[in-house]
Amino acid sequence: MSGEQELGITESKEHSTGEWYAEVVQKAELADYAPMGGFIVTRPRGYAVWERIQDHLDGWFKDTGVDNAYFPMFIPESYLEREKDIVEGFDPEVAWVTHGGHDELEERLAVRPTSESIITPFIADWVRSHRDLPMRLNQWCSVVRWEATETKPFFRTKEFLWQEGHTAHADEDGAWDETMTRLDQYERLYEDVMAMPALKGRKPEHDKFPGAHTTTTIETLMPDGKSVQAATSHYLGTSFAEAFDITYADEDEEDQTAHTTSWGLSWRSMGALIMLHSDDQGLVLPPTLAPTQVVIVPIWQEDNKEEVVEYAADAAAELEEAGVRVNLDDRDNRNPGFKYNEWELKGVPLRIEVGPNEVEDDELTLVHRPDGENSVESRDDIAATVEDHLDTVYAKLYASAEETLEGEIREADSREEILGTIGQHGGYVKTGWCGDEDCEDPIKDALAAEIVMVPLDRDEEPLHDDCAICGDEAEETAYWAKTY
Amino acid sequence: MSGEQELGITESKEHSTGEWYAEVVQKAELADYAPMGGFIVTRPRGYAVWERIQDHLDGWFKDTGVDNAYFPMFIPESYLEREKDIVEGFDPEVAWVTHGGHDELEERLAVRPTSESIITPFIADWVRSHRDLPMRLNQWCSVVRWEATETKPFFRTKEFLWQEGHTAHADEDGAWDETMTRLDQYERLYEDVMAMPALKGRKPEHDKFPGAHTTTTIETLMPDGKSVQAATSHYLGTSFAEAFDITYADEDEEDQTAHTTSWGLSWRSMGALIMLHSDDQGLVLPPTLAPTQVVIVPIWQEDNKEEVVEYAADAAAELEEAGVRVNLDDRDNRNPGFKYNEWELKGVPLRIEVGPNEVEDDELTLVHRPDGENSVESRDDIAATVEDHLDTVYAKLYASAEETLEGEIREADSREEILGTIGQHGGYVKTGWCGDEDCEDPIKDALAAEIVMVPLDRDEEPLHDDCAICGDEAEETAYWAKTY
């Protein structure tokens, strides 16, 4: 059937990862390329995954004292310039609005690349007393960063969807706790919702968010051995509070400067999700995020069509009643094999096959995605059985990803060993590191690998006494990897 | 107490509506003015109302076959130019991105004023066969229209939040049904969630959405006698489908052109909500949308503080358990009178007062916002009692708005009578109308009133035989009003 060939994935995940990824994203109808380079259109099947990610995170944020708000998408150039690191960090990649209607604007407006520069002055205005602290704001929005790179849907786009949290606290302890609370929530999202084991760490000083005191990061490993910066949470110290004057009266009516944080997770998380779990048959999604968790495919002959379809519909109704996101595929114009392929391509985690045998024996055949494991189950209590199977599918996805990660953290103690290990295996390589940015250069130049993180704990003893590059005394343990 | 004066509303709704509105919005902490004219910052108390509006509408959309998606916030100038009415309609108020980083762009990008021009070509790409129809997409996003008018939070801002639905159908019937389904859902939102009686109608031909065949509208009346266009739903005919080539193969494999619709509701709905219900004490919100539905204020002396607060906390816990959004205000540093004023200002629909008498008699005192009606109720079954009172508060808000509207639809049959009636009373005036845009001018010039709608049914007999302005034969019944 010609439709079938057109439908299927033709590229190989192992041999042409980039092309395969682009094919999965488009053929599973997650996204399309916009007419402007660097922009994508997120289609319903993609957006539904993002909505579920939002729902989880947003609930956790609200449970822990965060309020949603909405700030303008434009930032006046003069505001952007008030915090010098932000300007230096983002100026080269800002999209500028220069005209409104037929008139040139008096001051250029930046399309927000991140919103510290417009949110912090308002927090400064709203915070008067220690009673107003902590103040925790979040917004779900899109931001624009004009990077001149190839479009990679969700991973790298000039406009992307994200949430950005911005908080102010009375002191460093409060702000640091906040930074870690959000990092832990991001970790929880990866571990418990996305079936992705995650590493937590700190970015090296030279790779921090502009203006931050400390940037903490969640890193996840892709099957091609590259690391993805999967979310970041920044302790900003007092740099933004000073630039925008967030002061408050403490209990003794003394003026104090607040400490601030910001933290964000973007749709890059979806890119990593798709990249990690999917396969040469197409999209693989954990049941937690799949818009359709179960597809029921009835398999009939003309003489038993009515009873097979009715049996299947009855099971679908029972699952739906129990809150399972189920789709009954009783299309006349497609055969079962076509349907299997299509739903595998689109990432449905569990398929239920119903033929005359199942009807006769009062059973259902359940097939797992992606490993194809199948089992015949009793029709009784099918909702509970299906929930168990969905849990199993999740656990298998996680276990597979965890196994990959565990084998991919290696050690090295020389430049040659770093290059050799990453070159041969990918993954993470841990070394001693003196802390000097210059020591990153030879690895970057030779292999496009970099230091993706150092341990969260600044006092942790380095793994090796010496820096693997320059041989000076090591200050930290560096995790090297190629990156997305 | 100086704080109390600062907190309260100083302007009068009746005598200085505009200033009063601006004061309510800011002092109830719904929004603040951004540094750029025409932009606002939506604060948590305002955004929470918008989130509840979203939740209701989004649920109804999904229940009726709509999928959410996300399209780029920028539209290439050449795309905007493909539908000529859209260009003419929006070109004067487009914000243009001309630079990315340090480079001038080859083609200017419009910050979306509405998204037909970027969404329709993708629908054209995705629709091949009649089986792909209807296709229904919606996005929640912000849009920008560079209008040079005074900023009025939520009512009139250069950037505003909204949802925009875009659908394609096989024929006119399908598209027209869709147009009406969405109009009915908007009406339901106003009637059942916002406590606002609404009129449904059609915009006159000269005031349609650019490119539309028919623009239908929800109009609501403000207390100052002006009408608000509260949502619109457009049957676009085939104009966009032709401009962007949405064709499909029908059941006979013949190529057909699709019919499309678009429909949107913006945060202007929040502006109308605030304007209609609020009063000189501050914000009034229906319980359906209030972030806090009930505030419990314990009133204690030093010798009974512990038992009063405990009793209040126990009631709060029971309400919260039952799903009521309740806040226990046991602050030490504010007296009860201050708290009453503050929560009235912030729009909490129901206050519960707890003093030693209530504790002794196992009762609670419930006070309605805005009318101050109070009653003493048994502590038993308090959650059910509170739900009843919240329903009553909603019903009273609605009844009050309905009474106002009913008295404000008058008739006229001459230019002088229109001017006199609207000038004296505001509200709507119904007249016969020939259908010629020129007949609107004398009223517009004299009074800034216009034809806000005509009946939905094109075949409805006009109210009067003659046009109230020119005396020619009337084609329609026109509803005249001043507008926001």
Side-chain angles (χ1 to χ4, degrees):
Chain A
M1 195 181 293
S2 74
E4 227 160 326
Q5 277 193 323
E6 196 183 36
L7 187 74
I9 302 295
T10 58
E11 300 285 350
S12 149
K13 181 172 186 179
E14 188 179 347
H15 300 296
S16 50
T17 310
E19 293 77 4
W20 161 86
Y21 174 81
E23 202 184 4
V24 169
V25 165
Q26 287 189 279
K27 290 197 172 169
E29 299 180 355
L30 302 172
D32 254 353
Y33 294 88
M36 316 81 83
F39 290 80
I40 61 169
V41 166
T42 308
R43 300 183 67 175
R45 295 196 155 267
Y47 198 78
V49 174
W50 181 240
E51 283 187 311
R52 292 215 144 72
I53 290 173
Q54 286 187 297
D55 283 349
H56 281 97
L57 264 190
D58 197 68
W60 300 337
F61 290 162
K62 285 177 176 157
D63 287 345
T64 48
V66 180
D67 289 317
N68 283 339
Y70 185 75
F71 289 78
M73 72 153 90
F74 300 144
I75 304 175
E77 188 164 17
S78 57
Y79 273 64
L80 207 62
E81 284 170 348
R82 279 172 69 179
E83 208 291 329
K84 68 175 173 41
D85 293 317
I86 278 278
V87 179
E88 282 173 24
F90 288 104
D91 206 41
E93 47 187 61
V94 164
W96 292 103
V97 174
T98 58
H99 290 72
H102 301 307
D103 301 323
E104 186 166 356
L105 304 182
E106 284 180 26
E107 181 179 9
R108 297 199 299 176
L109 299 174
V111 182
R112 63 183 160 222
T114 180
S115 299
E116 280 77 5
S117 304
I118 187 83
I119 293 181
T120 319
F122 281 93
I123 293 180
D125 199 32
W126 297 330
V127 168
R128 298 295 161 89
S129 135
H130 63 94
R131 289 192 196 85
D132 301 320
L133 295 174
M135 181 171 287
R136 300 185 179 97
L137 301 173
N138 177 63
Q139 66 182 5
W140 294 93
C141 63
S142 75
V143 291
V144 172
R145 297 180 187 174
W146 213 265
E147 297 176 277
T149 49
E150 208 186 341
T151 314
K152 197 174 182 72
F154 306 120
F155 275 109
R156 207 163 278 279
T157 48
K158 289 196 174 86
E159 178 188 11
F160 56 89
L161 296 183
W162 78 344
Q163 60 68 218
E164 48 177 324
H166 298 271
T167 70
H169 305 263
D171 54 28
E172 177 172 347
D173 280 355
W176 184 251
D177 282 354
E178 178 77 18
T179 307
M180 294 311 297
T181 296
R182 303 311 156 196
L183 192 72
D184 289 346
Q185 290 177 335
Y186 293 140
E187 181 187 34
R188 180 178 166 195
L189 181 78
Y190 280 98
E191 299 266 343
D192 295 353
V193 178
M194 302 178 75
M196 298 173 71
L199 298 179
K200 286 195 292 194
R202 208 166 21 98
K203 286 287 166 190
E205 290 298 302
H206 63 268
D207 197 23
K208 292 185 307 188
F209 179 79
H213 175 279
T214 303
T215 286
T216 67
T217 181
I218 297 280
E219 300 283 327
T220 61
L221 187 66
M222 295 294 98
D224 58 359
K226 292 184 186 172
S227 183
V228 172
Q229 177 183 306
T232 49
S233 182
H234 315 291
Y235 167 53
L236 301 173
T238 56
S239 62
F240 284 87
E242 280 163 12
F244 293 99
D245 202 24
I246 312 184
T247 57
Y248 68 92
D250 67 13
E251 299 198 11
D252 305 319
E253 297 292 324
E254 302 281 334
D255 262 14
Q256 303 288 350
T257 300
H259 293 244
T260 68
T261 82
S262 68
W263 27 277
L265 176 134
S266 80
W267 72 15
R268 171 181 282 194
S269 57
M270 274 176 66
L273 176 87
I274 298 159
M275 174 74 82
L276 177 60
H277 295 306
S278 303
D279 63 18
D280 289 352
Q281 275 62 57
L283 182 65
V284 174
L285 289 175
T288 38
L289 293 174
T292 304
Q293 295 173 306
V294 176
V295 62
I296 303 185
V297 179
I299 306 150
W300 67 77
Q301 309 290 330
E302 268 320 303
D303 62 348
N304 56 28
K305 178 177 175 184
E306 195 175 330
E307 64 182 285
V308 169
V309 171
E310 189 182 316
Y311 183 87
D314 188 58
E318 190 168 327
L319 289 174
E320 190 166 4
E321 177 70 24
V324 176
R325 300 188 291 275
V326 61
N327 178 21
L328 172 67
D329 186 356
D330 57 359
R331 287 177 292 176
D332 269 331
N333 62 330
R334 298 294 185 202
N335 64 43
F338 182 94
K339 294 178 182 178
Y340 295 177
N341 288 340
E342 180 172 350
W343 296 116
E344 283 181 7
L345 171 66
K346 290 187 175 165
V348 177
L350 189 66
R351 178 173 78 236
I352 298 182
E353 302 172 0
V354 176
N357 290 343
E358 279 84 0
V359 175
E360 191 173 332
D361 301 338
D362 213 23
E363 292 176 337
L364 295 162
T365 297
L366 276 56
V367 185
H368 295 183
R369 174 103 176 92
D371 66 4
E373 183 181 339
N374 64 75
S375 52
V376 177
E377 300 281 2
S378 163
R379 170 69 183 77
D380 296 341
D381 270 338
I382 189 60
T385 305
V386 161
E387 294 286 3
D388 283 348
H389 277 268
L390 292 175
D391 288 347
T392 302
V393 167
Y394 187 94
K396 287 196 288 188
L397 277 183
Y398 186 88
S400 159
E402 195 178 32
E403 197 182 304
T404 306
L405 176 61
E406 274 170 6
E408 297 292 337
I409 305 176
R410 300 180 180 84
E411 291 185 22
D413 56 15
S414 72
R415 174 179 155 168
E416 289 65 37
E417 216 182 330
I418 298 172
L419 291 174
T421 306
I422 295 183
Q424 190 183 345
H425 303 289
Y428 300 101
V429 171
K430 298 201 288 189
T431 72
W433 175 46
C434 63
D436 191 336
E437 181 175 1
D438 291 344
C439 281
E440 199 183 40
D441 290 342
I443 306 297
K444 254 188 169 156
D445 294 344
L447 208 60
E450 62 188 49
I451 300 172
V452 295
M453 63 177 217
V454 296
L456 268 181
D457 181 357
R458 286 176 190 270
D459 296 331
E460 191 176 307
E461 283 292 307
L463 181 72
H464 295 273
D465 292 340
D466 307 322
C467 175
I469 308 295
C470 69
D472 286 354
E473 192 182 343
E475 297 285 335
E476 315 232 44
T477 302
Y479 286 69
W480 303 78
K482 291 187 181 181
T483 63
Y484 267 90
Chain B
M1 197 182 291
S2 74
E4 227 159 326
Q5 278 193 322
E6 196 183 37
L7 188 72
I9 302 295
T10 58
E11 300 285 349
S12 150
K13 182 174 187 178
E14 189 178 347
H15 299 295
S16 50
T17 310
E19 293 77 3
W20 162 85
Y21 174 80
E23 202 184 4
V24 169
V25 165
Q26 287 191 278
K27 289 196 172 170
E29 297 179 356
L30 301 172
D32 255 353
Y33 294 88
M36 316 81 82
F39 291 80
I40 60 169
V41 166
T42 309
R43 301 183 66 177
R45 295 195 155 267
Y47 198 79
V49 174
W50 180 240
E51 282 187 313
R52 292 213 144 71
I53 290 173
Q54 287 186 297
D55 283 348
H56 281 96
L57 266 189
D58 197 67
W60 299 337
F61 291 162
K62 285 177 177 157
D63 287 346
T64 48
V66 180
D67 288 318
N68 283 338
Y70 186 75
F71 289 77
M73 73 153 90
F74 300 143
I75 303 176
E77 187 163 17
S78 56
Y79 274 64
L80 207 63
E81 284 168 350
R82 280 172 69 179
E83 208 292 329
K84 67 174 174 41
D85 293 316
I86 277 277
V87 179
E88 281 172 24
F90 287 104
D91 207 40
E93 47 187 60
V94 163
W96 293 103
V97 174
T98 57
H99 289 74
H102 303 305
D103 301 323
E104 187 165 355
L105 304 182
E106 281 179 27
E107 180 179 10
R108 297 198 301 174
L109 300 174
V111 181
R112 63 182 159 223
T114 181
S115 299
E116 280 78 4
S117 305
I118 187 83
I119 292 181
T120 319
F122 281 93
I123 292 180
D125 199 32
W126 298 330
V127 168
R128 299 292 162 91
S129 139
H130 63 96
R131 289 193 196 86
D132 300 321
L133 296 173
M135 182 171 285
R136 300 184 179 98
L137 301 173
N138 177 64
Q139 66 181 5
W140 294 93
C141 63
S142 75
V143 290
V144 172
R145 297 180 187 174
W146 212 265
E147 298 177 277
T149 49
E150 208 186 342
T151 314
K152 196 173 181 75
F154 305 121
F155 275 108
R156 207 163 277 280
T157 48
K158 289 194 173 86
E159 178 188 11
F160 56 89
L161 297 183
W162 77 345
Q163 60 68 218
E164 48 178 324
H166 299 269
T167 70
H169 306 263
D171 54 26
E172 176 171 349
D173 280 355
W176 184 250
D177 283 352
E178 178 76 17
T179 307
M180 294 311 298
T181 297
R182 303 311 156 197
L183 193 71
D184 289 345
Q185 289 177 334
Y186 293 141
E187 181 187 35
R188 179 178 168 195
L189 181 78
Y190 280 98
E191 300 266 344
D192 296 353
V193 178
M194 302 178 77
M196 298 172 70
L199 299 179
K200 286 195 292 194
R202 207 167 22 98
K203 286 287 165 190
E205 290 297 303
H206 62 269
D207 197 24
K208 293 185 305 189
F209 179 79
H213 174 279
T214 303
T215 286
T216 67
T217 180
I218 297 281
E219 299 283 327
T220 61
L221 188 66
M222 294 294 98
D224 58 358
K226 293 183 185 171
S227 184
V228 173
Q229 178 182 305
T232 49
S233 182
H234 316 290
Y235 167 52
L236 301 173
T238 56
S239 62
F240 284 87
E242 280 163 10
F244 293 100
D245 202 24
I246 312 186
T247 57
Y248 67 93
D250 68 13
E251 299 198 11
D252 305 319
E253 297 293 323
E254 302 281 335
D255 262 14
Q256 303 288 350
T257 298
H259 292 244
T260 68
T261 82
S262 67
W263 27 276
L265 177 134
S266 80
W267 71 18
R268 171 182 280 195
S269 57
M270 274 177 66
L273 176 87
I274 299 160
M275 174 75 83
L276 177 61
H277 295 307
S278 302
D279 63 17
D280 289 352
Q281 275 63 57
L283 182 65
V284 174
L285 289 175
T288 37
L289 293 174
T292 303
Q293 297 174 304
V294 177
V295 61
I296 302 185
V297 179
I299 306 149
W300 66 76
Q301 308 291 331
E302 268 320 303
D303 62 347
N304 57 27
K305 177 176 175 183
E306 195 175 332
E307 65 183 284
V308 169
V309 172
E310 190 182 314
Y311 183 87
D314 188 57
E318 191 168 326
L319 290 174
E320 191 166 2
E321 178 71 21
V324 176
R325 299 188 291 274
V326 60
N327 178 20
L328 172 66
D329 186 356
D330 58 359
R331 286 177 293 175
D332 269 330
N333 61 330
R334 298 295 185 201
N335 64 44
F338 181 94
K339 293 177 182 177
Y340 294 177
N341 288 339
E342 180 172 350
W343 296 114
E344 284 181 5
L345 170 66
K346 290 185 175 165
V348 177
L350 190 66
R351 179 173 77 235
I352 298 183
E353 302 172 359
V354 176
N357 291 344
E358 278 85 0
V359 175
E360 191 172 332
D361 300 339
D362 213 24
E363 292 176 338
L364 296 163
T365 298
L366 276 57
V367 185
H368 294 182
R369 174 105 176 90
D371 66 5
E373 184 181 340
N374 63 75
S375 52
V376 177
E377 300 281 2
S378 164
R379 171 69 181 79
D380 294 342
D381 269 338
I382 188 60
T385 306
V386 160
E387 294 285 4
D388 284 347
H389 278 267
L390 292 176
D391 287 348
T392 303
V393 167
Y394 187 94
K396 288 195 286 188
L397 277 183
Y398 186 88
S400 160
E402 196 178 30
E403 198 182 303
T404 305
L405 176 61
E406 275 169 6
E408 298 291 337
I409 305 177
R410 302 181 179 84
E411 292 185 21
D413 56 16
S414 72
R415 174 179 155 170
E416 290 65 35
E417 216 183 328
I418 299 173
L419 291 173
T421 306
I422 295 184
Q424 191 183 344
H425 303 289
Y428 300 100
V429 171
K430 298 200 288 189
T431 73
W433 175 47
C434 64
D436 191 336
E437 180 176 2
D438 291 344
C439 281
E440 197 183 41
D441 290 342
I443 307 296
K444 252 188 170 158
D445 294 345
L447 208 61
E450 63 190 46
I451 300 172
V452 296
M453 64 177 217
V454 295
L456 268 181
D457 181 357
R458 287 177 189 269
D459 296 329
E460 192 175 306
E461 283 292 307
L463 181 71
H464 296 272
D465 291 340
D466 307 324
C467 175
I469 308 293
C470 67
D472 286 354
E473 191 182 344
E475 297 286 335
E476 316 232 44
T477 301
Y479 286 69
W480 304 78
K482 292 189 183 181
T483 62
Y484 267 90

